[in-house]
Amino acid sequence: MLGPSVNQHPEKRPNKPVQTEAEAAAAEDAAIAAVYRDMYRPKNNPGRFHILARAQYSIGSAFNGTMSGRTGGAQVDIGQSFNFIGYALTLRGEGGVIDYGGASSRTQMTGLLGGGPTLSLGRLGMLQRGYIDFRVGYDFFVAPARERLLEGGAARLPAQLPHGPRAQLNLGLLLSPDRSRKLFHGVGLGLGYQVLVGSFRGDLPPSQFLQFALHYSGG
């Protein structure tokens, strides 16, 4: 049961430096990180189903100051994740009031329905019991609209067709991660920034939206 060095003279036995408390803690942290790294990002790099669902609230304004509004709703990303990249199709629906226009009349959009392609960090952002999920995409929307006259009343307008890029950061904690799981679940908070560069129909000015969200991540 004893090692071969037991039969050697003490002066000939290999000397192993005694680790300090800090060195032992660092070695333990490195070993734990290696275990999680192999668990989250296996060497065969399988593509795994992934879904991200966000309940979010957005505050918007135009770059030229002629628009303001607020919307709230849901967003779902459905796609696949790999060790260092992921892709998804984003579906989004929000309702609210977005006003813009000139002195004589105002155009009001009452919702945003649509989505677009999304790229993410895949499983690269999974860190032990939490994750940092950064995503970028480009959205295309259908936005119901109406014209509100200053003298009163409103007239229905053809739906606006805004579009623009999106960036979102999701921070969360994993729920009960262990080696036996192939799919992981997490919940957390999210921030986002959406720019609408224009509209295929209508005169929507370039605008920006700041998003606040609660999200669920599974995959």
Side-chain angles (χ1 to χ4, degrees):
M1 299 299 290
L2 299 177
S5 63
V6 173
N7 296 323
Q8 297 178 1
H9 190 276
E11 295 180 355
K12 297 182 179 180
R13 294 179 187 174
N15 293 324
K16 292 184 178 181
V18 178
Q19 291 183 324
T20 65
E21 185 175 347
E23 291 173 337
E28 182 179 0
D29 289 342
I32 293 174
V35 170
Y36 279 106
R37 182 174 60 249
D38 293 339
M39 181 171 62
Y40 294 147
R41 293 177 288 278
K43 294 181 179 179
N44 60 340
N45 192 20
R48 291 175 176 168
F49 171 79
H50 188 268
I51 184 172
L52 180 79
R54 287 166 51 107
Q56 61 189 23
Y57 175 76
S58 302
I59 301 174
S61 63
F63 291 108
N64 61 8
T66 61
M67 190 202 82
S68 64
R70 294 177 174 84
T71 63
Q75 173 184 311
V76 178
D77 295 358
I78 302 173
Q80 196 173 26
S81 65
F82 297 89
N83 283 355
F84 300 102
I85 195 172
Y87 68 89
L89 173 64
T90 295
L91 302 175
R92 183 170 155 195
E94 296 188 18
V97 176
I98 302 171
D99 280 309
Y100 66 94
S104 60
S105 66
R106 301 284 292 180
T107 299
Q108 184 179 80
M109 296 191 303
T110 57
L112 293 170
L113 303 173
T118 295
L119 290 177
S120 72
L121 296 176
R123 295 188 293 270
L124 180 62
M126 299 179 72
L127 308 170
Q128 297 192 21
R129 295 185 177 276
Y131 55 89
I132 301 174
D133 182 16
F134 179 70
R135 297 177 171 237
V136 295
Y138 201 95
D139 291 328
F140 303 88
F141 295 108
V142 174
R146 59 189 178 186
E147 183 181 22
R148 301 195 63 176
L149 305 176
L150 295 183
E151 61 270 17
R156 180 172 295 180
L157 294 175
Q160 307 285 298
L161 301 175
H163 58 93
R166 157 182 43 86
Q168 294 174 332
L169 179 65
N170 302 297
L171 307 175
L173 295 175
L174 293 170
L175 305 176
S176 302
D178 60 62
R179 297 186 188 183
S180 64
R181 289 181 179 268
K182 292 186 178 180
L183 297 179
F184 300 93
H185 307 274
V187 294
L189 302 175
L191 288 174
Y193 183 70
Q194 172 96 53
V195 175
L196 297 180
V197 297
S199 178
F200 294 123
R201 182 165 61 196
D203 56 351
L204 178 71
S207 55
Q208 60 186 343
F209 289 80
L210 183 62
Q211 304 167 339
F212 305 91
L214 299 173
H215 74 265
Y216 160 80
S217 177

